[in-house]
Structures are given as C-alpha cells and as structure tokens.
Amino acid sequence: MAVGIRSVTTAVSSGVTSTSISLTTPAASVGDLLLIILGNDYWQNTLTLTSITPTATSTNISSFTDDGGNNNPHINAWWAPVVTSGAVTVVADDGYVGGNEKFLAVYILTGCDTSSPVDDAANNGAMVSSNSPTTPTVSPASSTSMLFCHFQSDGSNAAPLATLTIPGDTNSQYDISDTSNFSRAIGINQQLATSGGTGGKIFTSSATFGWVASSVAIKAAATTPAVATNDVTAITPATAQGNGIVVAANGSGITERGFVWSTSANPTTSDNKVTASGTTGGYNASLTGLSDGTLYHVRAYATNGNGTTYGADVTFRNSSAKLSWIKS
C-alpha cells in the first residue's frame, strides 16, 4: 500500500484585520489523514491550530516546526485522522494582526498509518538567505512513505516575483504568494521507493531571499506482504522446487517466507511447509517427501507483523513416467 493524496487545499491571509486563517476542504473519508501546515512570513512564532470541524484529534509534528526568529518566517504542522466523512474546516492562528501574511495548507491523505504516521523523519531547516532554497534531509524507516516538504519565504518582495524551479524528482502541490505582502509558500512531495536518507531538495531561484523549510515523511498503513507464486521446477518423483517472490513487505518487516503444499487446493502453513531465508525478492526451496504420481497444490507465502499472505495456487503432478507442472 502507498500513501495517496485525495486533495490539497490552501488559503492565504494578510492578517491585518484578524489573527486567524481558515479553509474548508473537499470531502474526506473515514480513515483518511489530515496533514495541516501553517506558516507566516513575519514576527510572530506562536502558530496554533484552533479547531478542526468535524472534530478530529490533532498531534503537533514538533520536529517539523521551524522558527526563523523575529521579523522572519515560521512554520508549524499537525496530523489528524479523519473520523467523520465529509468536508473539513480547519481554523489556525498566529496571534498577530500587524500585517504578517499567513498561509494554511491542508492535505487529505489516503492509505496512511493513522496511529503514528510520522516516519521518524520530520526535520526543520534554518533561516537562510540564498537563491537555492533547500528542504532538509530526512531518513524514513519505511520504504512506503511519502515525503512532504514546505518552504516559507520571509517578507522580501523578491520572493513572490522570483522564478522557482522545483527539484526534478518531486511534484508541486502548491505555490502561493501575495505580491502586495511580499511572501511565498511552496509545497512539494515525493513517493519514496526505499528507506533511508532522501537528501535535501534544492530549488533553483532567480532571486535571493530569506526562507525556512521543513520536511516530513508520512508512512503508509502497514499491511500483509505482497507475494507471488511462480512455476514449480526440478520435479522428480519425490521432490520439486518451489519458486516465488515477496514483491513488497508493505510497511512491516518480513519475519518468515517459504512454501506450503498439499493434495488439496489452497494449502496453508498448517499443511506441509518449508521456509526460505531472506525478506523481499525472489526465492526458492525444495518440496520434499512427495508421493509419485500425485497432483500437488503449492503456494508461496510470507509473514510480517500484520499477518500472512499467500500467492496463487499452482499445481503440479510428479510421476516417474511423465513429469509435468500445471499452473492453475
């Protein structure tokens, strides 16, 4: 399973007449995850989440928070599982009405772990002035995570007018600015294919300005492994070789893999079983103790912390007169 993006909704407010900013999203479904990002470009660092309607319990992503200091931009973020289907209204606040511009972005994500979705990977940058805004490196533990990066410019009038090119391996989700208030906020994402460090994401900018940036990896909901059974080979009257592949661990480490076989369809680990070392990828093992001239059913299997998955049922008949396999 992979993380998906159902929608991304953004709002911008100059904050001159109100400390708050709000938006309403398209419809969400029970089991979705909200990723809420709030930023401003000036002065006040008390960025808070006021309310989510319908009610959802939020958790601050503290290591994503970035404080540029006085007269500089700030970022804060939260995640919250959706427990009631429908549109969601989010209200946030930075406690200041003196003209600082505020940005609010709300992702509705599908296929996420909704109990502890932050994959040990949130990271904030530092206040920097350059023409190469760079989001910080993160190191997710799961290969099924999605990386989200946000950068927030300061109040320089160079930022909204700059031409920015996003990193080639990422997708742009929003690029919002207000030329009358001199700020900019950009969000990008990337579906990760491996665990470990992703490296900083470097933008190319036509202008130099100050900015802060943050990154977070959101992990997919863990499921049982994805497994395929391949053709049986090396058939003899008493033995044969099972062949299979663990296509994906699906967010939880493989604890066992192998083959099961029986004279009945869809064998399980309660029937004849042989294990094979390793985690993901192709593997094989010897099926032994076979009776000559018998039709057997074989399935590859793999187990992780969420349970066991079996591949397709493959049949073969071993015979000293004629050896053959049949894929059903």
Side-chain angles (χ1 to χ4, degrees):
M1 180 177 290
V3 175
I5 299 175
R6 188 183 299 281
S7 67
V8 184
T9 309
T10 61
V12 59
S13 171
S14 65
V16 173
T17 59
S18 174
T19 66
S20 68
I21 182 172
S22 65
L23 61 78
T24 299
T25 72
S29 298
V30 174
D32 289 348
L33 186 80
L34 303 178
L35 174 61
I36 302 166
I37 299 173
L38 174 64
N40 70 2
D41 66 351
Y42 178 71
W43 190 251
Q44 186 69 280
N45 65 358
T46 55
L47 281 66
T48 58
L49 180 60
T50 305
S51 65
I52 303 173
T53 307
T55 300
T57 301
S58 64
T59 300
N60 180 235
I61 308 175
S62 58
S63 50
F64 187 95
T65 301
D66 202 354
D67 183 359
N70 287 350
N71 301 320
N72 289 316
H74 312 91
I75 305 170
N76 207 352
W78 301 263
W79 61 268
V82 175
V83 294
T84 304
S85 293
V88 179
T89 298
V90 176
V91 181
D93 197 299
D94 75 349
Y96 189 63
V97 297
N100 56 323
E101 191 174 16
K102 291 179 274 290
F103 295 93
L104 181 61
V106 178
Y107 291 83
I108 299 177
L109 305 178
T110 63
C112 300
D113 180 334
T114 56
S115 59
S116 57
V118 176
D119 191 16
D120 298 327
N123 195 9
N124 63 77
M127 184 61 195
V128 178
S129 182
S130 77
N131 62 355
S132 298
T134 304
T135 64
T137 298
V138 297
S139 298
S142 171
S143 61
T144 57
S145 290
M146 183 175 283
L147 175 68
F148 296 90
C149 302
H150 175 91
F151 93 77
Q152 182 82 39
S153 77
D154 64 11
S156 167
N157 59 7
L161 303 176
T163 299
L164 280 110
T165 302
I166 68 171
D169 56 355
T170 66
N171 299 301
S172 176
Q173 293 301 328
Y174 52 85
D175 181 349
I176 50 182
S177 62
D178 184 338
T179 55
S180 66
N181 287 286
F182 311 129
S183 190
R184 191 166 189 166
I186 293 181
I188 59 174
N189 77 294
Q190 179 186 20
Q191 178 62 62
L192 302 179
T194 60
S195 58
T198 64
K201 301 299 178 182
I202 303 173
F203 297 76
T204 302
S205 173
S206 62
T208 297
F209 50 84
W211 49 271
V212 292
S214 295
S215 304
V216 63
I218 300 295
K219 61 187 175 185
T223 60
T224 56
V227 184
T229 312
N230 293 334
D231 301 334
V232 176
T233 58
I235 304 169
T236 75
T239 65
Q241 179 175 285
N243 300 288
I245 181 170
V246 178
V247 179
N250 285 340
S252 180
I254 302 296
T255 57
E256 184 176 295
R257 67 178 185 174
F259 300 92
V260 292
W261 69 96
S262 173
T263 55
S264 299
N266 298 319
T268 70
T269 53
S270 298
D271 296 302
N272 297 299
K273 181 181 82 168
V274 61
T275 61
S277 62
T279 55
T280 56
Y283 65 99
N284 56 66
S286 182
L287 318 179
T288 60
L290 307 181
S291 298
D292 189 14
T294 303
L295 180 69
Y296 284 100
H297 296 258
V298 181
R299 294 200 291 177
Y301 78 92
T303 301
N304 66 11
N306 300 292
T308 297
T309 299
Y310 298 92
D313 186 299
V314 170
T315 60
F316 74 97
R317 186 184 300 275
N318 66 327
S319 170
S320 56
K322 182 178 181 180
L323 303 178
S324 63
W325 61 263
I326 308 166
K327 187 174 183 179
S328 61

